[in-house]
Amino acid sequence: MATAAASSASEPEVEPQAGPEAEGEEDEAKPAGVQRKVLSRPVAAEAAEAKGPGWDLQREGASESDGDEEDAMASSAESSAGEDEWEYDEEEEKNQLEIERLEEQLSINGYDYNCHVELIRLLRLEGELSRVRAARQKMSELFPLTEELWLEWLHDEISMAMDGLDREHVYELFERAVKDYICPNIWLEYGQYSVGGIGQKGGLEKVRSVFERALSSVGLHMTKGLAIWEAYREFESAIVEAARLEKVHSLFRRQLAIPLYEMEATFAEYEEWSEEPMPESVLQSYQKALGQLEKYKPYEEALLQAEAPRLAEYQAYIDFEMKIGDPARIQLIFERALVENCLVPDLWIRYSQYLDRQLKVKDLVLSVHSRAVRNCPWTVALWSRYLLAMERHGLDHQTISATFENALSAGFIQATDYVEIWQVYLDYLRRRVDFRQDSSKELEELRSMFTRALEYLQQEVEERFSESGDPSCLIMQSWARVEARLCNNMQKARELWDSIMTRGNAKYANMWLEYYNLERAHGDTQHCRKALHRAVQCTSDYPEHVCEVLLTMERTEGTLEDWDLAIQKTETRLARVNEQRMKAAEKEAALVQQEEEKAEQRKKVRAEKKALKKKKKTRGADKRRADEDEENEWGEEEEEQPSKRRRMENSLASGAASAMKEETELSGKCLTIDVGPPSKQKEKAASLKRDMPKVAHDSSKDSVTVFVSNLPYSIEEPEVKLRPLFEVCGEVVQIRPIFSNRGDFRGYCYVEFGEEKSAQQALELDRKIVEGRPMFVSPCVDKSKNPDFKVFRYSTTLEKHKLFISGLPFSCTKEELEDICKAHGTVKDLRLVTNRAGKPKGLAYVEYENESQASQAVMKMDGMTIRENVIKVAISNPPQRKVPEKPEVRTAPGAPMVPRQMYGARGKGRTQLSLLPRALQRQGAAPQAENGPAPGPAVAPSVATEAPKMSNADFAKLLLRK
């Protein structure tokens, strides 16, 4: 039974070896183009030879009575065959050109994963057996292969295995496959294939060994481990020998002691198969396993319900297993998580850290570290841990050095990553040196590696990243400490520190103090004094600190002359520094004042433009025909300036209305003047505003409410427009749009749902376009209780798997950019940056599946031309968002401290109109000749309320005076 299962499992991938009749039927069912894609050229040739010259006649069912039809069919077949051959040659040539291109690309960058996969596919399609083997071998040396790639390779090799040597080759492939990932399907295939070799010497022991290893590897897998157990039991049941019953009993009992899905069915099968009563120990183990199964079920069901890669669900499962502490189950859940999340460096780091600290099994630890760097070669932390683990478990120096060289060629994303890997390797070399000897092979190698590291960072890293990656010269500092402390070679250490200072570090106080401490510990006082004197002259960030250290040293150890010289130098230096700081402060204050003046000037210009626009609008709306009769000055002025009439008191307005009525009656003209209430349209708008219910926001419902903003102001009925958009998320209880005092929609509203999950789902509608503008949807938070709450969806830190693209043409669409980016890897997300109106800004963020693809895309897309625009591409590293500072009191230099003007809770109003006539606000107003108050002393604005009372006519003449 197991042998049959093994053969059936390998059948789908084996190319069929059918006879002539079967091949003829297949040709009738499939067009020629499809057949060319299935059969490679050598296979097609062999099939043609097997068919023979009479194959066409046999396929068509020809007889002696229809010779004419045979000739016609034969000629047609020859013509069709000629076309197929020509089309096939053209397609083969195309594939060969693509194969050559892929091989050339891999010669440049051997870590292009997708290129490896495509090359293997084309070689397999062309039937290049030896080349496809070499391509698979090369890829497996650089990357761990997925379950699908391994099964495809294994099925191809199984179909071609003829003798015992070929079977051993397949066994070796299986051994390599099960080391990349823990895959139950590969173990099952391995066990079933080993059953086919049971007739060979030691075949039975081989099968049992494979199945036992499979059980120890994936037997605890709650959802897929059952297939391994069943295959092993079927194999043992098929063996005819006396001891098989006990072996099957043992397998049943071992399986029932492990929490697996469908345990009840296995227990029932065991009861039916066994002729003996169930032992009590087996029942106890079974009940215990059932109890454990109930604890694991929530995590397994969460994995079954979620979609790949299910990282969060696996993280929760790992936390649960870590609390229980079973090493076998912890290892299994890590392996299961890595099958779907093999490109997540943090998961590999956590797994290797657990093995380093808990299990400490050499083969297991090194195997996981090796797989980690093969999956995520761009992550320097994994390489660093790998080197430390190899040193910890005592691997030879040649192996560790080879691993380090592989790390250098892995292609890190940042320049600082190369500094880190060099430091780890140099630390390892230092620990190999016996410094009790004056000279040794290990010490010479350490010094040569320090020299090579500096050259590598200067040549390779700076050329690639346009930066050194080591601005503080950490490698050189480490070398100087080794020479000073361990080799007692202060001369070499001083030379290194001189080189450090000449690379732009002389202005930093901490660098000088580090050198001073090294001289203090391993040098002499004279060199310490010399270093501090140079530090006083060169330091620009914290000169006070350096001066204090110099004075402290001279106070403790120096002579009077040394003290006087130190005082003189520090005072001179500090005076110069203070002078420079004052000049810088004055310059900054002048710039601030200049900016404030420019802002004030812009504010005045805007105010003047606004007033002019308002004046023109008022004149156009309230223009009236001029009156022919100029005798009544009051009426004339009333028509010329109708806008002023509305701002008078009620008594003045009534007097003006009566005067106009008399004038129109005398002239015999019918003139309608609106001096009272507003027009009917404004009345209607005002009534609507008054009738509109004002609902106060209930902060207790913030969890079921979202805040919607950036909506178009032109929406007439916001509630009707928005309700269909949000009802897809759940029941909408209420939509509360916000209106201005004039009844205009202000562009934002509150949407209250019946359930909290509906509000969370509504947040996904953020940036949805509503009438040409992106709608902003954010959580509803009371900022009076949470003043630090900020809604910002995107990261502001370095994201190695995401690209920032600038310089895009505004006409570039998301689909067009996505097609360009897909050529360099799997694009998970793409976002075009827009302004509040939804218009593009020429910027975009592109998220790739992993850091390796992002780094490859940077190198290939940076400087690319899109519609005559040269784009810039870099790893996404947004600047930190600035926190708004509290307003401070700013004064010009030398001016008295005057606090800023304080406004009310609603801020400064749009208009600052005074109800007092301008003539009374002037401190030096001239005496009125007529219609005004009697001449008197100047009245200040603060006492303007004490002016003599005036009649309505006096006010009218005063306001209309030219």
Side-chain angles (χ1 to χ4, degrees):
M1 186 181 300
T3 306
S7 61
S8 63
S10 60
E11 282 175 1
E13 295 295 326
V14 180
E15 295 181 356
Q17 302 292 333
E21 294 182 1
E23 290 176 349
E25 294 173 359
E26 184 179 358
D27 287 347
E28 290 179 353
K30 294 183 180 180
V34 177
Q35 185 183 8
R36 286 197 307 273
K37 294 181 180 179
V38 176
L39 295 178
S40 60
R41 190 169 190 180
V43 176
E46 293 175 4
E49 293 177 0
K51 292 171 185 175
W55 175 77
D56 287 330
L57 300 178
Q58 295 176 10
R59 183 184 63 174
E60 298 295 336
S63 63
E64 298 178 358
S65 61
D66 49 1
D68 295 338
E69 294 182 3
E70 292 175 6
D71 295 337
M73 294 294 292
S75 62
S76 175
E78 291 175 1
S79 175
S80 177
E83 288 185 17
D84 289 351
E85 184 176 358
W86 181 79
E87 292 178 5
Y88 182 81
D89 292 340
E90 184 178 359
E91 183 176 352
E92 182 188 18
E93 183 179 359
K94 181 179 178 182
N95 289 341
Q96 290 296 335
L97 291 176
E98 181 66 13
I99 289 173
E100 292 177 2
R101 186 190 69 81
L102 292 173
E103 289 178 342
E104 182 180 358
Q105 186 172 348
L106 287 175
S107 65
I108 299 173
N109 179 19
Y111 285 90
D112 193 334
Y113 185 90
N114 296 328
C115 194
H116 280 286
V117 175
E118 183 65 15
L119 177 61
I120 292 172
R121 186 188 69 81
L122 289 176
L123 290 174
R124 189 168 183 261
L125 184 64
E126 291 296 312
E128 300 283 351
L129 179 60
S130 59
R131 295 177 68 185
V132 75
R133 276 179 174 172
R136 282 168 167 165
Q137 178 67 26
K138 185 176 180 180
M139 183 180 180
S140 65
E141 291 174 356
L142 296 175
F143 300 100
L145 304 187
T146 62
E147 179 180 347
E148 293 77 11
L149 291 175
W150 269 120
L151 288 176
E152 181 184 87
W153 190 359
L154 291 167
H155 288 158
D156 289 347
E157 296 292 343
I158 290 173
S159 64
M160 293 181 291
M162 303 299 293
D163 53 14
L165 294 178
D166 292 340
R167 178 170 288 275
E168 290 298 325
H169 173 64
V170 175
Y171 283 151
E172 292 177 2
L173 285 182
F174 270 114
E175 290 295 333
R176 291 172 57 187
V178 297
K179 289 179 181 178
D180 277 355
Y181 301 106
I182 290 185
C183 297
N185 293 334
I186 294 180
W187 275 112
L188 181 62
E189 193 76 21
Y190 192 9
Q192 291 175 341
Y193 179 73
S194 64
V195 172
I198 194 173
Q200 297 179 350
K201 182 179 180 181
L204 179 60
E205 290 75 10
K206 174 70 174 179
V207 176
R208 285 176 173 169
S209 172
V210 170
F211 273 115
E212 287 293 339
R213 290 170 56 203
L215 291 180
S216 64
S217 180
V218 295
L220 297 177
H221 200 300
M222 296 186 64
T223 56
K224 297 183 179 180
L226 181 63
I228 304 294
W229 289 98
E230 290 180 347
Y232 195 5
R233 286 205 316 271
E234 290 177 4
F235 166 73
E236 292 292 348
S237 300
I239 299 176
V240 181
E241 62 178 24
R244 72 177 181 85
L245 293 179
E246 185 60 33
K247 186 69 175 179
V248 175
H249 275 292
S250 174
L251 287 175
F252 266 119
R253 293 169 183 175
R254 289 167 58 189
Q255 180 180 350
L256 291 174
I258 298 174
L260 297 172
Y261 270 41
E262 301 181 10
M263 290 185 62
E264 296 83 354
T266 305
F267 184 78
E269 182 183 353
Y270 185 30
E271 284 185 323
E272 182 180 355
W273 181 84
S274 178
E275 299 176 355
E276 302 175 358
M278 194 71 65
E280 185 64 25
S281 59
V282 175
L283 290 175
Q284 291 179 357
S285 300
Y286 171 68
Q287 293 298 332
K288 183 179 179 181
L290 278 178
Q292 293 176 343
L293 179 62
E294 293 301 321
K295 297 179 180 179
Y296 289 112
K297 266 187 177 181
Y299 299 97
E300 293 290 344
E301 291 175 356
L303 290 175
L304 293 174
Q305 295 173 3
E307 296 181 358
R310 301 177 284 198
L311 180 60
E313 289 76 14
Y314 277 118
Q315 292 282 13
Y317 206 162
I318 290 172
D319 295 337
F320 174 73
E321 291 286 11
M322 295 283 278
K323 291 179 181 178
I324 297 178
D326 186 353
R329 297 198 65 90
I330 292 174
Q331 182 184 354
L332 177 63
I333 191 58
F334 268 117
E335 294 289 350
R336 288 177 60 185
L338 288 169
V339 170
E340 298 182 14
N341 300 275
C342 58
L343 301 180
V344 180
D346 292 341
L347 192 59
W348 283 107
I349 290 175
R350 188 179 181 187
Y351 186 22
S352 59
Q353 181 176 330
Y354 168 76
L355 296 178
D356 286 333
R357 297 180 180 179
Q358 301 296 328
L359 295 186
K360 301 180 181 180
V361 179
K362 176 181 177 179
D363 294 338
L364 178 60
V365 170
L366 295 180
S367 172
V368 171
H369 278 292
S370 175
R371 291 160 52 205
V373 297
R374 292 174 65 199
N375 278 277
C376 307
W378 64 88
T379 306
V380 67
L382 293 176
W383 287 101
S384 301
R385 291 173 176 271
Y386 190 16
L387 292 175
L388 292 173
M390 295 174 76
E391 181 185 2
R392 191 178 297 118
H393 290 282
L395 268 69
D396 59 279
H397 175 61
Q398 185 177 0
T399 304
I400 297 177
S401 299
T403 304
F404 169 71
E405 296 297 335
N406 292 335
L408 288 181
S409 61
F412 298 131
I413 298 177
Q414 299 181 96
T416 54
D417 293 343
Y418 289 94
V419 179
E420 181 177 347
I421 196 66
W422 269 109
Q423 282 186 312
V424 172
Y425 185 61
L426 291 170
D427 291 343
Y428 155 72
L429 294 178
R430 178 192 58 79
R431 289 189 286 267
R432 295 180 66 243
V433 178
D434 184 5
F435 290 98
R436 292 173 295 183
Q437 303 178 8
D438 293 337
S439 179
S440 63
K441 179 181 177 181
E442 290 79 7
L443 180 58
E444 294 303 321
E445 183 181 3
L446 174 62
R447 285 173 172 165
S448 65
M449 277 299 167
F450 269 119
T451 304
R452 182 190 166 194
L454 297 178
E455 293 176 354
Y456 186 89
L457 294 177
Q458 184 175 3
Q459 298 175 4
E460 302 290 337
V461 178
E462 288 188 16
E463 181 179 351
R464 176 181 173 188
F465 296 96
S466 300
E467 58 176 307
S468 66
D470 191 13
S472 299
C473 300
L474 299 177
I475 300 293
M476 208 174 294
Q477 288 188 45
S478 178
W479 190 3
R481 294 189 194 96
V482 169
E483 294 290 351
R485 297 176 181 175
L486 301 176
C487 300
N488 297 320
N489 188 358
M490 278 303 299
Q491 183 63 31
K492 180 64 177 179
R494 290 175 184 133
E495 292 176 2
L496 291 170
W497 270 104
D498 285 339
S499 179
I500 292 172
M501 293 305 182
T502 56
R503 298 193 179 191
N505 293 295
K507 58 184 178 181
Y508 300 117
N510 65 319
M511 301 296 289
W512 284 109
L513 294 179
E514 184 71 23
Y515 177 36
Y516 165 74
N517 291 329
L518 191 68
E519 285 284 0
R520 191 77 172 169
H522 306 284
D524 51 48
T525 305
Q526 188 62 28
H527 281 90
C528 290
R529 181 177 290 107
K530 185 178 179 181
L532 289 178
H533 278 282
R534 290 176 60 192
V536 169
Q537 297 297 325
C538 300
T539 303
S540 59
D541 55 351
Y542 298 104
E544 295 90 349
H545 193 91
V546 176
C547 293
E548 183 181 354
V549 174
L550 175 59
L551 294 177
T552 301
M553 190 192 76
E554 298 297 1
R555 180 181 289 110
T556 306
E557 304 177 14
T559 63
L560 180 59
E561 289 78 6
D562 295 333
W563 171 260
D564 291 340
L565 182 59
I567 287 290
Q568 181 182 356
K569 284 197 172 185
T570 54
E571 288 180 350
T572 304
R573 177 57 178 166
L574 293 179
R576 190 183 306 117
V577 169
N578 290 332
E579 182 179 356
Q580 292 174 353
R581 289 176 179 174
M582 288 182 64
K583 289 182 179 180
E586 291 176 358
K587 185 176 180 180
E588 183 178 359
L591 291 175
V592 171
Q593 185 178 4
Q594 187 177 359
E595 289 296 327
E596 289 183 351
E597 291 176 356
K598 289 182 179 179
E600 190 67 25
Q601 186 66 23
R602 288 193 296 266
K603 189 175 180 182
K604 288 181 180 180
V605 172
R606 287 196 300 267
E608 291 175 359
K609 289 182 179 180
K610 188 174 181 181
L612 182 60
K613 185 177 179 181
K614 186 176 181 181
K615 185 176 181 181
K616 289 181 179 180
K617 184 178 179 181
T618 305
R619 285 183 178 179
D622 298 333
K623 187 176 182 181
R624 299 291 184 267
R625 293 189 309 172
D627 197 295
E628 295 179 0
D629 190 358
E630 297 180 356
E631 293 180 359
N632 194 333
E633 184 182 359
W634 172 254
E636 180 183 359
E637 295 296 335
E638 176 68 11
E639 288 188 8
E640 290 179 357
Q641 300 187 10
S643 60
K644 294 184 178 180
R645 183 171 60 249
R646 297 192 181 95
R647 292 197 292 263
M648 293 183 181
E649 298 180 357
N650 293 334
S651 58
L652 181 59
S654 60
S658 61
M660 285 301 302
K661 183 178 181 181
E662 293 175 0
E663 184 180 24
T664 52
E665 289 177 355
L666 291 173
S667 60
K669 297 179 182 179
C670 182
L671 181 61
T672 304
I673 298 178
D674 185 9
V675 294
S679 64
K680 294 182 179 180
Q681 293 181 352
K682 293 185 177 181
E683 285 183 359
K684 184 177 179 180
S687 63
L688 289 175
K689 176 178 72 69
R690 289 192 297 269
D691 296 339
M692 192 177 301
K694 294 185 178 181
V695 182
H697 175 64
D698 187 0
S699 60
S700 62
K701 297 182 180 180
D702 284 349
S703 60
V704 294
T705 307
V706 296
F707 179 69
V708 184
S709 59
N710 200 43
L711 294 168
Y713 297 153
S714 59
I715 298 180
E716 296 182 356
E717 297 181 357
E719 185 174 359
V720 177
K721 178 70 176 179
L722 297 177
R723 183 172 290 275
L725 295 177
F726 288 97
E727 281 183 344
V728 297
C729 304
E731 179 188 359
V732 177
V733 177
Q734 187 183 33
I735 296 179
R736 299 193 297 277
I738 307 301
F739 295 90
S740 65
N741 293 333
R742 298 167 59 183
D744 299 328
F745 180 52
R746 300 185 64 182
Y748 59 91
C749 64
Y750 295 90
V751 181
E752 180 183 338
F753 293 91
E755 298 180 357
E756 184 174 352
K757 64 179 182 180
S758 301
Q760 295 296 326
Q761 188 176 353
L763 297 177
E764 299 178 1
L765 297 178
D766 188 36
R767 308 281 171 166
K768 183 177 180 64
I769 303 300
V770 177
E771 294 190 3
R773 290 170 66 96
M775 173 180 65
F776 298 163
V777 184
S778 57
C780 187
V781 177
D782 187 358
K783 291 190 177 181
S784 62
K785 299 179 181 178
N786 300 276
D788 298 331
F789 176 79
K790 297 290 181 184
V791 179
F792 191 67
R793 300 173 56 210
Y794 309 109
S795 175
T796 57
T797 58
L798 178 66
E799 300 170 287
K800 298 182 180 180
H801 64 290
K802 186 179 292 187
L803 303 184
F804 173 69
I805 304 178
S806 59
L808 290 169
F810 293 154
S811 59
C812 182
T813 63
K814 181 178 180 180
E815 292 75 15
E816 181 181 355
L817 182 59
E818 188 173 3
D819 291 339
I820 296 174
C821 297
K822 278 183 178 179
H824 310 293
T826 304
V827 177
K828 295 182 64 178
D829 187 26
L830 189 148
R831 177 170 62 92
L832 291 176
V833 182
T834 60
N835 57 18
R836 294 179 67 87
K839 296 182 179 180
K841 300 172 67 175
L843 309 174
Y845 288 92
V846 182
E847 181 180 356
Y848 279 94
E849 193 173 41
N850 53 61
E851 300 173 8
S852 178
Q853 295 179 0
S855 62
Q856 293 296 326
V858 169
M859 293 186 290
K860 296 178 181 178
M861 292 177 59
D862 189 28
M864 179 184 292
T865 302
I866 300 179
R867 298 183 189 173
E868 299 182 356
N869 283 32
V870 179
I871 65 173
K872 294 183 179 180
V873 184
I875 297 296
S876 174
N877 189 13
Q880 295 291 331
R881 291 177 62 82
K882 295 182 180 180
V883 180
E885 300 178 355
K886 297 182 179 180
E888 299 178 357
V889 178
R890 294 181 179 176
T891 59
M897 299 293 289
V898 180
R900 286 184 174 271
Q901 182 178 355
M902 301 302 293
Y903 303 104
R906 298 180 61 185
K908 182 178 180 180
R910 294 185 178 180
T911 59
Q912 297 290 325
L913 299 179
S914 175
L915 299 179
L916 192 65
R918 287 191 297 270
L920 298 181
Q921 293 179 356
R922 302 193 189 110
Q923 296 183 1
Q928 300 293 330
E930 56 180 352
N931 296 333
V939 182
S942 59
V943 294
T945 54
E946 300 177 2
K949 297 181 179 180
M950 294 184 295
S951 64
N952 291 338
D954 292 336
F955 266 117
K957 291 181 179 181
L958 177 63
L959 292 174
L960 300 178
R961 183 176 60 84
K962 296 181 181 179

